Every structure is written in C-alpha cells, then in structure tokens.
Amino acid sequence: MNEQVLHKLKVLAESAKYDVSCASSGTVRRNTKGGVGNTVGGVGICHSFAEDGRCISLLKIMLTNYCIYDCAYCINRVSNDIPRATLSVTELVELTMEFYRRNYIEGLFLSSGVVRNPDYTMERLVRVAKDLRVKHRFNGYIHLKSIPGASQELVHEAGLYADRMSVNLEIPTERNLKLLAPEKDHRSVYLPMKYIQQGVLESAEERKLHRHAPRFVPAGQSTQMIVGATDETDKDILSVSSTLYRQPTMKRVYYSGYVAVNTYDKRLPLLKQPPLVRENRLYQADWLLRYYQFRVDELVDDASPHLDMEIDPKLAWALKHPELFPVDIQSADYEMLLRVPGIGVKSAKMIVMSRRFSRIGFYELKQMGAVMKKARFFITCRELPDKTIHELGPAGVRRLLLPKPKRKEDERQLTLDFSPLD
C-alpha cells in the first residue's frame, strides 16, 4: 500500500464512522472452488460479536467523502472544510482483497458521499461489488449503502452482489428532514427501499422454481435514524420503526445518538454529548417490538411520548400495569411470561417446556437465565417471598430497582482495595 492510498484510507474510514447501520450479515455465502473466503451465517460485523463469541471485523469505508449535499447534521456536508479523498474502484477492490487475505477483515461495509448525481455514485458502488464478486470471486460479506434517488436498475444490480443493503432515513419526519437537509426528501429514501423489497420477494419466488437462481440481498435491508438532532419524540421515532418493520425485508432499524459535529449551524441543538441513554432505551423498545410482541402504544402514548430514562421500557410498562401481576409461573401462557421483567425469550420458552415435568422454583428460574432481581416482584412460585408488586406498590418496586447513586469520594482520602486478585 503506497502512502497516497494509505492517506485516502485514513480520511475515508474516519468519514464513515458515524454510520452505525452495519451489525449483522444474517446470511450464508459458502466458498466455491477457486473463490476467496466465505460468509458465516448469523455473525456480527464491524467489531461486533458473533453468536459463538467471536469478534468479527469489517472494512468500513466510504468510496468518497465529497458530497453535493449540505445536510446540517453531516460531517461530510459540502460546506465543511475537512480533508477530502476519493478511492478509485480499482483501489478499493484491491484494498479489500489485500485486507481479507491478511485476515484483517471478514467483509466490506461501503458507503459514499453523493458526487455529480445519485446514479453516478451508485454506479461506482455497484462496480466495486461486481468486481469483487466476478473478477476476484470474493465470497465474504458485502453491505452496500443504496444512494437515495438512485434508479431502480442500479439498485437491482447492486442487490445481485450485496449480502445486505441499506438506505438511511436519517431524520424520522419529512418536516424536520426539510429543515436540516433541504435538498432531500423521504420519497427518495422510500423508493430504493421499495426496489430492494421487490427484488428480495421476486428472488424468493424464483428460487422456489429454480434452485440455483441468483440470490438478491439475502440478508435483507436496514436503515438508520438520528436521535436528538430534531424535536421528534420517542413515540414519533418508534412509530416510524414499527411501520418499517411491517415490510417483510426490513431487518433492523438503527438509532444513532446525534453527535454535534457542526456546532456552528444554528438549526442544530447544542449538545455537550450524544444522548446515549435515550439511544439505548430506543434499542430496548425496538427489541420489545420485534421479539416480545409489544405495540408502540403500549410503550409510549400521547400522554407519555418519551421513554423513561431511569428504567428499561419493559419494567416501565409493568409498573404501569400492576393489575396484571403477579403471574403464576406454573400456569401463565408464553405471551404473558414474555412481559414479565427479567424473563427473556429463551427463559420463557424453557419455562413453558420445563413446567410440564416438574414445578419450578427460584433456583430453576435462575438456571434458565431469568433475572430474579427484577422478576421476583412480578411472579409467584414456590420458594419466593410473598412481597410482590401488590404488597410493595409500583413506587416501592421502582425504588428497589433503580440503580444506586454513586457516592462522591473525597479525592484526598486514601482508598484501600482489599478485593482478591484474579
């Protein structure tokens, strides 16, 4: 790698770090004779963790950080005076292959600023993916960002080579998107999403008839919304997410706490740090929507449009509905078990299976993975004390489960640590 390419790599990797919509491939692409690499099913990427605990790395980079748009929230906006760089298609393909051969990475996450027009930029992204798959027979993971406003033909061609594609919504409502990015609109985002969905569904039908028909974006699509840059409530954000999840190909909605990279722009809020707690609560609520059969209006409503920042959304819901608790572990149905704080999907399934053979107590619940610190106030079973949410009240349970505030220590005091060494 020469110094020029190394400089481009540093600039473009730095510019790509704010895009968080790249966490799991969810696909299997086995190696073929004469090919290079493979994609393991269900693994995380970009320094995330696989189901077996492995850390998976990804080359996360932009093709170029030049951009014709002037979005207020973006570090790469055209009006910013920052280092700029552009990799040629050949440079990026060779960089990916060399990194893969050296076992630095297991895949590629590729995005780009928009240069000239959306189709010109999208065509270059497609060429990178095509060269990797066809010329170099690369079977590793590829995640491509679809450029808003790109034509259906280019989006469809990209889907033949990518494992996953994503189009970032960025701002949840059209009104605020127009405020911060006047050149953009939601239609240019939703159209590529529709093209990807059509391609995936058509590919699935074709593969039912022809086993070896080409796959189209086998890992589905994802998107990202910025949290805290505009005045949308958590109810607004989760309502958009719920609508997106009704699409059969939408796998993940990512939430990115707003990072104040353009503090000079008066349209943006002055935040000392990103709203990380709010971002975390939105991910927890998102999990409840996807796996715990919750609806948006059960977590947030017009009276309380924001999630509770002190406790997780599931616990907050349970404290608002004490009339539904405590539930009997021996007789409650699976759907109700899922709503007990401290009991997850795996624990609920194990409870339903195990109670057919014996009664379940405190020890058995802990062995099944239930978080008894929370669950003990919302269930009844043998060996548990009788102080449930009815005896303590929602306020009492909340006080017991709130994290204890850290005491401020006098830095002048000498603190001795008698904990055993590992």
Side-chain angles (χ1 to χ4, degrees):
M1 186 190 306
N2 59 45
E3 291 186 6
Q4 184 180 12
V5 174
L6 180 60
H7 171 72
K8 291 180 181 180
L9 174 62
K10 290 179 179 179
V11 171
L12 295 172
E14 177 70 17
S15 294
K17 71 180 183 180
Y18 296 103
D19 197 324
V20 300
S21 58
C22 53
S24 178
S25 64
T27 184
V28 174
R29 188 183 293 270
R30 293 183 176 84
N31 198 359
T32 56
K33 187 176 181 180
V36 178
N38 60 77
T39 300
V40 181
V43 301
I45 59 172
C46 196
H47 300 292
S48 186
F49 290 91
E51 292 179 353
D52 59 2
R54 292 182 305 119
C55 182
I56 311 299
S57 56
L58 175 79
L59 176 58
K60 184 178 180 181
I61 196 169
M62 298 182 75
L63 186 66
T64 179
N65 64 346
Y66 287 96
C67 191
I68 61 175
Y69 297 136
D70 198 30
C71 305
Y73 48 80
C74 183
I75 188 64
N76 301 308
R77 60 189 296 185
V78 66
S79 58
N80 272 355
D81 183 16
I82 61 171
R84 305 278 182 174
T86 301
L87 283 167
S88 68
V89 172
T90 302
E91 285 174 335
L92 185 50
V93 169
E94 291 179 352
L95 195 64
T96 303
M97 293 304 301
E98 288 302 314
F99 274 32
Y100 197 96
R101 291 189 182 103
R102 286 166 172 75
N103 202 30
Y104 295 161
I105 61 170
E106 295 189 50
L108 171 69
F109 176 89
L110 180 59
S111 61
S112 179
V114 181
V115 289
R116 296 193 185 180
N117 57 65
D119 276 354
Y120 175 82
T121 307
M122 192 68 201
E123 189 270 335
R124 290 168 62 82
L125 294 177
V126 172
R127 282 176 55 197
V128 172
K130 184 176 182 179
D131 284 359
L132 284 170
R133 295 293 192 214
V134 178
K135 289 186 179 180
H136 296 272
R137 304 185 69 179
F138 177 70
N139 291 299
Y141 176 81
I142 297 179
H143 183 145
L144 278 186
K145 301 294 294 187
S146 181
I147 304 299
S151 67
Q152 184 172 4
E153 292 75 19
L154 286 171
V155 173
H156 186 270
E157 186 177 6
L160 297 175
Y161 305 114
D163 291 292
R164 173 168 286 185
M165 293 183 68
S166 54
V167 197
N168 283 354
L169 193 60
E170 301 294 8
I171 305 299
T173 60
E174 181 87 20
R175 171 179 60 86
N176 282 329
L177 180 65
K178 282 295 185 183
L179 174 66
L180 300 184
E183 302 108 324
K184 293 183 177 180
D185 57 59
H186 274 174
R187 183 177 181 275
S188 64
V189 176
Y190 286 124
L191 268 180
M193 285 184 182
K194 182 180 178 182
Y195 299 153
I196 296 169
Q197 178 178 317
Q198 289 175 345
V200 172
L201 297 179
E202 289 172 2
S203 174
E205 290 299 318
E206 188 175 355
R207 286 179 65 83
K208 290 178 182 179
L209 301 175
H210 307 285
R211 180 182 176 186
H212 298 290
R215 298 185 301 173
F216 186 94
V217 194
Q221 59 177 315
S222 61
T223 190
Q224 171 180 298
M225 287 187 280
I226 298 173
V227 177
T230 46
D231 61 0
E232 285 92 0
T233 64
D234 294 337
K235 179 176 181 291
D236 296 330
I237 295 171
L238 291 173
S239 296
V240 173
S241 299
S242 179
T243 301
L244 290 172
Y245 282 135
R246 294 192 191 105
Q247 300 177 13
T249 59
M250 182 59 67
K251 300 301 182 182
R252 285 295 303 272
V253 176
Y254 293 87
Y255 309 95
S256 177
Y258 167 65
V259 180
V261 293
N262 301 319
T263 54
Y264 60 86
D265 198 311
K266 301 302 181 184
R267 293 171 292 175
L268 296 167
L270 295 175
L271 300 180
K272 293 183 179 180
Q273 59 183 14
L276 298 181
V277 176
R278 185 184 180 193
E279 176 186 310
N280 182 51
R281 294 291 180 236
L282 284 168
Y283 275 117
Q284 291 172 330
D286 183 278
W287 202 263
L288 295 179
L289 296 178
R290 289 190 293 140
Y291 298 113
Y292 287 76
Q293 304 175 17
F294 276 81
R295 302 188 311 273
V296 173
D297 59 3
E298 292 180 294
L299 303 174
V300 282
D301 52 30
D302 292 335
S304 303
H306 287 283
L307 297 168
D308 194 318
M309 293 295 104
E310 292 184 324
I311 56 177
D312 67 81
K314 189 177 179 183
L315 177 58
W317 176 85
L319 293 179
K320 289 180 180 178
H321 297 84
E323 71 279 2
L324 300 177
F325 299 100
V327 300
D328 186 354
I329 287 295
Q330 296 299 142
S331 59
D333 59 24
Y334 173 73
E335 289 72 19
M336 193 61 211
L337 288 174
L338 281 179
R339 295 186 171 234
V340 176
I343 294 182
V345 174
K346 290 183 179 179
S347 301
K349 290 180 179 178
M350 292 183 69
I351 290 169
V352 172
M353 292 175 59
S354 301
R355 68 190 182 188
R356 292 182 297 174
F357 307 103
S358 64
R359 292 189 62 82
I360 298 173
F362 186 92
Y363 176 76
E364 288 80 12
L365 287 171
K366 287 194 70 173
Q367 291 294 101
M368 294 175 190
V371 182
M372 297 307 295
K373 179 182 177 181
K374 292 182 180 180
R376 62 200 302 259
F377 301 112
F378 301 93
I379 61 174
T380 57
C381 72
R382 63 187 180 90
E383 302 172 3
L384 278 180
D386 57 359
K387 286 189 176 181
T388 66
I389 190 172
H390 279 186
E391 288 73 32
L392 296 171
V397 174
R398 183 186 178 95
R399 280 195 302 271
L400 289 172
L401 294 180
L402 277 178
K404 299 292 186 293
K406 295 182 179 179
R407 292 185 300 176
K408 291 185 178 179
E409 296 182 357
D410 190 341
E411 294 180 356
R412 294 172 297 177
Q413 298 295 323
L414 176 64
T415 302
L416 299 179
D417 184 11
F418 294 102
S419 58
L421 296 175
D422 291 332

PDB file of all heavy atoms in Angstrom, residues 267-278:
ATOM      1  N   ARG A 267     -29.328  25.674  13.340  1.00  0.00           N
ATOM      2  CA  ARG A 267     -30.517  24.809  13.277  1.00  0.00           C
ATOM      3  C   ARG A 267     -30.378  23.587  14.183  1.00  0.00           C
ATOM      4  O   ARG A 267     -31.364  22.897  14.436  1.00  0.00           O
ATOM      5  CB  ARG A 267     -30.738  24.341  11.830  1.00  0.00           C
ATOM      6  CG  ARG A 267     -31.123  25.445  10.867  1.00  0.00           C
ATOM      7  CD  ARG A 267     -31.116  24.940   9.433  1.00  0.00           C
ATOM      8  NE  ARG A 267     -29.763  24.622   8.975  1.00  0.00           N
ATOM      9  CZ  ARG A 267     -29.479  24.080   7.792  1.00  0.00           C
ATOM     10  NH1 ARG A 267     -30.461  23.795   6.959  1.00  0.00           N
ATOM     11  NH2 ARG A 267     -28.223  23.843   7.449  1.00  0.00           N
ATOM     12  N   LEU A 268     -29.174  23.326  14.639  1.00  0.00           N
ATOM     13  CA  LEU A 268     -28.909  22.129  15.424  1.00  0.00           C
ATOM     14  C   LEU A 268     -28.862  22.441  16.914  1.00  0.00           C
ATOM     15  O   LEU A 268     -28.457  23.535  17.305  1.00  0.00           O
ATOM     16  CB  LEU A 268     -27.575  21.506  14.988  1.00  0.00           C
ATOM     17  CG  LEU A 268     -27.516  20.994  13.547  1.00  0.00           C
ATOM     18  CD1 LEU A 268     -26.086  20.700  13.148  1.00  0.00           C
ATOM     19  CD2 LEU A 268     -28.381  19.751  13.388  1.00  0.00           C
ATOM     20  N   PRO A 269     -29.240  21.488  17.759  1.00  0.00           N
ATOM     21  CA  PRO A 269     -29.184  21.717  19.211  1.00  0.00           C
ATOM     22  C   PRO A 269     -27.740  21.707  19.711  1.00  0.00           C
ATOM     23  O   PRO A 269     -26.865  21.060  19.122  1.00  0.00           O
ATOM     24  CB  PRO A 269     -29.964  20.532  19.785  1.00  0.00           C
ATOM     25  CG  PRO A 269     -29.808  19.450  18.760  1.00  0.00           C
ATOM     26  CD  PRO A 269     -29.775  20.143  17.425  1.00  0.00           C
ATOM     27  N   LEU A 270     -27.503  22.424  20.792  1.00  0.00           N
ATOM     28  CA  LEU A 270     -26.174  22.456  21.393  1.00  0.00           C
ATOM     29  C   LEU A 270     -26.098  21.367  22.455  1.00  0.00           C
ATOM     30  O   LEU A 270     -26.526  21.546  23.598  1.00  0.00           O
ATOM     31  CB  LEU A 270     -25.907  23.836  22.011  1.00  0.00           C
ATOM     32  CG  LEU A 270     -25.826  25.011  21.021  1.00  0.00           C
ATOM     33  CD1 LEU A 270     -25.673  26.322  21.773  1.00  0.00           C
ATOM     34  CD2 LEU A 270     -24.671  24.816  20.038  1.00  0.00           C
ATOM     35  N   LEU A 271     -25.553  20.209  22.082  1.00  0.00           N
ATOM     36  CA  LEU A 271     -25.426  19.076  22.987  1.00  0.00           C
ATOM     37  C   LEU A 271     -23.962  18.871  23.346  1.00  0.00           C
ATOM     38  O   LEU A 271     -23.107  18.813  22.462  1.00  0.00           O
ATOM     39  CB  LEU A 271     -25.984  17.798  22.349  1.00  0.00           C
ATOM     40  CG  LEU A 271     -27.462  17.799  21.946  1.00  0.00           C
ATOM     41  CD1 LEU A 271     -27.831  16.452  21.343  1.00  0.00           C
ATOM     42  CD2 LEU A 271     -28.354  18.106  23.131  1.00  0.00           C
ATOM     43  N   LYS A 272     -23.691  18.764  24.648  1.00  0.00           N
ATOM     44  CA  LYS A 272     -22.313  18.529  25.070  1.00  0.00           C
ATOM     45  C   LYS A 272     -21.871  17.104  24.752  1.00  0.00           C
ATOM     46  O   LYS A 272     -20.699  16.844  24.507  1.00  0.00           O
ATOM     47  CB  LYS A 272     -22.179  18.793  26.576  1.00  0.00           C
ATOM     48  CG  LYS A 272     -22.365  20.259  26.953  1.00  0.00           C
ATOM     49  CD  LYS A 272     -22.159  20.464  28.446  1.00  0.00           C
ATOM     50  CE  LYS A 272     -22.323  21.931  28.813  1.00  0.00           C
ATOM     51  NZ  LYS A 272     -22.125  22.169  30.281  1.00  0.00           N
ATOM     52  N   GLN A 273     -22.820  16.181  24.769  1.00  0.00           N
ATOM     53  CA  GLN A 273     -22.506  14.795  24.440  1.00  0.00           C
ATOM     54  C   GLN A 273     -23.725  14.142  23.801  1.00  0.00           C
ATOM     55  O   GLN A 273     -24.851  14.602  23.997  1.00  0.00           O
ATOM     56  CB  GLN A 273     -22.093  14.021  25.689  1.00  0.00           C
ATOM     57  CG  GLN A 273     -23.139  13.990  26.784  1.00  0.00           C
ATOM     58  CD  GLN A 273     -22.626  13.277  28.025  1.00  0.00           C
ATOM     59  OE1 GLN A 273     -21.437  13.031  28.169  1.00  0.00           O
ATOM     60  NE2 GLN A 273     -23.530  12.942  28.924  1.00  0.00           N
ATOM     61  N   PRO A 274     -23.535  13.070  23.030  1.00  0.00           N
ATOM     62  CA  PRO A 274     -24.671  12.401  22.378  1.00  0.00           C
ATOM     63  C   PRO A 274     -25.637  11.843  23.409  1.00  0.00           C
ATOM     64  O   PRO A 274     -25.231  11.455  24.507  1.00  0.00           O
ATOM     65  CB  PRO A 274     -23.993  11.269  21.584  1.00  0.00           C
ATOM     66  CG  PRO A 274     -22.566  11.674  21.445  1.00  0.00           C
ATOM     67  CD  PRO A 274     -22.238  12.478  22.664  1.00  0.00           C
ATOM     68  N   PRO A 275     -26.940  11.791  23.089  1.00  0.00           N
ATOM     69  CA  PRO A 275     -27.946  11.235  24.017  1.00  0.00           C
ATOM     70  C   PRO A 275     -27.885   9.714  24.044  1.00  0.00           C
ATOM     71  O   PRO A 275     -28.769   9.016  23.530  1.00  0.00           O
ATOM     72  CB  PRO A 275     -29.268  11.751  23.428  1.00  0.00           C
ATOM     73  CG  PRO A 275     -28.989  11.901  21.969  1.00  0.00           C
ATOM     74  CD  PRO A 275     -27.552  12.316  21.851  1.00  0.00           C
ATOM     75  N   LEU A 276     -26.838   9.180  24.680  1.00  0.00           N
ATOM     76  CA  LEU A 276     -26.590   7.743  24.628  1.00  0.00           C
ATOM     77  C   LEU A 276     -27.619   6.940  25.424  1.00  0.00           C
ATOM     78  O   LEU A 276     -27.964   5.825  25.046  1.00  0.00           O
ATOM     79  CB  LEU A 276     -25.181   7.447  25.139  1.00  0.00           C
ATOM     80  CG  LEU A 276     -24.045   8.078  24.319  1.00  0.00           C
ATOM     81  CD1 LEU A 276     -22.697   7.697  24.901  1.00  0.00           C
ATOM     82  CD2 LEU A 276     -24.131   7.643  22.855  1.00  0.00           C
ATOM     83  N   VAL A 277     -28.092   7.492  26.551  1.00  0.00           N
ATOM     84  CA  VAL A 277     -29.099   6.765  27.334  1.00  0.00           C
ATOM     85  C   VAL A 277     -30.395   6.647  26.535  1.00  0.00           C
ATOM     86  O   VAL A 277     -31.014   5.573  26.478  1.00  0.00           O
ATOM     87  CB  VAL A 277     -29.360   7.475  28.686  1.00  0.00           C
ATOM     88  CG1 VAL A 277     -30.483   6.774  29.449  1.00  0.00           C
ATOM     89  CG2 VAL A 277     -28.086   7.508  29.522  1.00  0.00           C
ATOM     90  N   ARG A 278     -30.791   7.728  25.897  1.00  0.00           N
ATOM     91  CA  ARG A 278     -32.003   7.691  25.065  1.00  0.00           C
ATOM     92  C   ARG A 278     -31.826   6.710  23.917  1.00  0.00           C
ATOM     93  O   ARG A 278     -32.745   5.946  23.589  1.00  0.00           O
ATOM     94  CB  ARG A 278     -32.300   9.089  24.529  1.00  0.00           C
ATOM     95  CG  ARG A 278     -33.611   9.164  23.754  1.00  0.00           C
ATOM     96  CD  ARG A 278     -33.843  10.531  23.156  1.00  0.00           C
ATOM     97  NE  ARG A 278     -35.096  10.580  22.432  1.00  0.00           N
ATOM     98  CZ  ARG A 278     -35.445  11.555  21.597  1.00  0.00           C
ATOM     99  NH1 ARG A 278     -34.619  12.584  21.410  1.00  0.00           N
ATOM    100  NH2 ARG A 278     -36.603  11.516  20.966  1.00  0.00           N
TER     101      ARG A 278
END
